[in-house]
Amino acid sequence: MSCPHCQQAAGYHADRPRTVVSLVGTLRYQRCYYYCRRCGQGLAPFDHQAGITPRHLTPALERLATLAGGVGDSFARGADLLQEMGGVRLSEATVQRTTEDVGGRIAALLDQGLVFGPPQAWDWHRDARGRTVAYVTADATGTRQQGPGGTSAEGRMAYVAGVYNPAPPDWLRPGQPADPLRARYLAGLYELKELGPLLRRQAGHVGMDAADVWVALTDGGSGLEGFCQQNFNRADLVVILDFYHPASYLEQLARALHPQDEGAAAAQAEQWCRLLKEEGGATTLAVLRAWDWPARKSAALRAQLEAVDSYFGNNLHRMEYPEYEAEGWCIGSGVVESACKTVVGQRLKGAGMRWGAAGAHALCHVRALYRSEPGQWDAFWTRKLTKSKVYQLN
Ligand SMILES: [Zn+2]
């Protein structure tokens, strides 16, 4: 063997035993062991060729342990899941390190400009005028971080971004069932400027260029609209404020108006949300400004009124919901929010959870890949990687 560290000859030393854990239990085998005198390091090339992990797991068990670590509510629950479903007992720490190693590998591959699976041409759904429409989204979510020595540290923002092809609204496909959502997600403790090329690459890989209309759905979070404008800079890019977010402002306002009466709050919220959907942001804001508010407002109501006023005021240009709906475009109220919740929130924001930055970043990658359309997860594990040019904008 030539030594991978110094390229000098490393002589055969002996056949040595190795014990690994596989899906069918513990396996023992003998393999050739080489030794480099110059580096003082031993090597067993078979282990590498067979894909044995640094924690001595077989590739199939690594894949299953990562799945359990990624989808379980915690790594301890992941270890339980693995035992329940695979009959293999690994420690919580092994499930955690394995999952995080894999997440780190996914991140490194993306960073090298690789995309999983062959290029695709998604069959973009059509809007009311028969134009094909592609959607992108980005959102931020907080994660609690662990500082040195287990102390709590400043929370870091994880970004979740995606390109997706949602089924058109019911009235555009009468009697037809909705196709399942196709989506590709990215998530991690990235800066927005780092996420841009990664998302463009995914978008290029699924043929976003071929869509007639591009819609960018985000909430009012800092920098998100600009992120979409910069990275998907068609002159006619449609930017929409995800309906879920202004609606949740209205729900909070209704609760502040009727703090003691849940029923009245729900009815008021529904009325305002209908107004927002049917008349748009500007009319809703005008109606709220002219509302017959109680003469003596609680501090909570005053605060929420101010919040609504500034949130709506800043986003009116992308709250023209009746027009978007007439075009047959999706106004959100689901995909962004559920992406954030399911990709990152559900797993990283569990009660009492704190994360090191590297661990959170790694786990975000495992979950984003697993939540992406069928085939993505498998393409990573079966090493179907495609070198993709950074997306050419047009
Ligand atoms: Zn050497």
Side-chain angles (χ1 to χ4, degrees):
M1 285 296 301
S2 66
C3 169
H5 309 288
C6 69
Q7 320 311 325
Q8 301 284 312
Y12 169 77
H13 193 71
D15 278 9
R16 284 222 178 150
R18 160 62 73 207
T19 302
V20 297
V21 188
S22 79
L23 271 182
V24 291
T26 302
L27 300 177
R28 293 184 187 83
Y29 57 89
Q30 305 268 337
R31 80 282 196 248
C32 298
Y33 178 82
Y34 301 80
Y35 186 79
C36 173
R37 290 177 188 284
R38 185 164 163 170
C39 300
Q41 293 205 42
L43 41 137
F46 174 81
D47 294 352
H48 180 71
Q49 286 157 11
I52 304 301
T53 76
R55 332 261 167 218
H56 304 167
L57 309 186
T58 61
L61 182 54
E62 180 189 43
R63 178 170 173 168
L64 204 61
T66 302
L67 179 60
V71 304
D73 294 338
S74 64
F75 293 116
R77 295 299 296 268
D80 292 345
L81 263 180
L82 189 63
Q83 185 167 32
E84 186 93 14
M85 302 185 84
V88 186
R89 183 74 221 168
L90 296 182
S91 71
E92 175 185 352
T94 300
V95 171
Q96 173 167 4
R97 290 195 199 106
T98 299
T99 307
E100 291 179 358
D101 283 355
V102 169
R105 252 161 43 215
I106 297 168
L109 290 170
L110 293 174
D111 188 50
Q112 290 163 30
L114 294 164
V115 182
F116 305 114
Q120 299 206 14
W122 278 3
D123 188 11
W124 302 103
H125 293 300
R126 292 179 184 277
D127 67 11
R129 291 200 251 165
R131 296 167 302 183
T132 51
V133 193
Y135 294 78
V136 289
T137 184
D139 204 353
T141 186
T143 62
R144 286 179 295 265
Q145 297 288 308
Q146 187 160 52
T151 55
S152 77
E154 190 74 14
R156 286 270 314 263
M157 278 303 196
Y159 283 103
V160 182
V163 51
Y164 63 103
N165 187 20
D170 294 355
W171 62 272
L172 272 179
R173 44 174 181 80
Q176 303 273 336
D179 291 340
L181 175 77
R182 286 189 93 169
R184 296 229 181 150
Y185 299 116
L186 292 164
L189 304 189
Y190 288 107
E191 303 285 331
L192 271 177
K193 63 176 186 295
E194 300 169 319
L195 199 55
L198 297 180
L199 184 60
R200 288 209 305 275
R201 202 171 283 133
Q202 297 289 334
H205 208 64
V206 299
M208 183 165 165
D209 239 355
D212 301 321
V213 179
W214 287 357
V215 174
L217 264 140
T218 68
D219 71 5
S222 171
L224 295 176
E225 186 185 356
F227 167 82
C228 292
Q229 296 276 15
Q230 283 156 21
N231 286 289
F232 299 91
N233 65 343
R234 277 187 182 175
D236 55 357
L237 175 73
V238 179
V239 289
I240 299 180
L241 184 69
D242 187 317
F243 186 80
Y244 176 91
H245 293 271
S248 70
Y249 272 76
L250 295 175
E251 282 157 13
Q252 284 177 48
L253 183 64
R255 276 201 296 274
L257 181 61
H258 299 289
Q260 311 297 342
D261 187 343
E262 237 171 76
Q268 186 59 75
E270 200 194 322
Q271 186 201 10
W272 283 335
C273 289
R274 198 180 326 119
L275 180 70
L276 178 61
K277 196 174 266 189
E278 289 172 1
E279 302 292 342
T283 301
T284 305
L285 184 58
V287 166
L288 291 177
R289 281 177 176 163
W291 199 263
D292 185 18
W293 299 105
R296 294 172 62 98
K297 299 187 198 66
S298 68
L301 179 57
R302 277 201 307 274
Q304 189 56 25
L305 266 173
E306 269 173 42
V308 167
D309 206 86
S310 93
Y311 187 84
F312 275 55
N314 288 332
N315 287 293
L316 288 178
H317 63 287
R318 50 195 187 120
M319 296 172 74
E320 291 165 5
Y321 297 113
E323 288 168 45
Y324 311 144
E325 291 226 295
E327 299 282 6
W329 298 331
C330 296
I331 59 173
S333 184
V335 173
V336 184
E337 194 60 24
S338 73
C340 232
K341 276 203 172 71
T342 60
V343 172
V344 173
Q346 262 176 14
R347 180 63 172 84
L348 276 85
K349 294 174 89 165
M353 280 187 184
R354 294 197 176 279
W355 294 90
H361 190 63
L363 192 62
C364 281
H365 283 86
V366 169
R367 291 191 58 92
L369 187 64
Y370 181 68
R371 289 282 171 178
S372 291
E373 65 169 327
Q376 286 289 287
W377 178 255
D378 190 64
F380 164 74
W381 288 103
T382 53
R383 298 182 179 77
K384 294 189 181 72
L385 308 175
T386 306
K387 184 81 186 172
S388 196
K389 290 189 286 276
V390 170
Y391 192 31
Q392 298 299 309
L393 299 172
N394 69 359

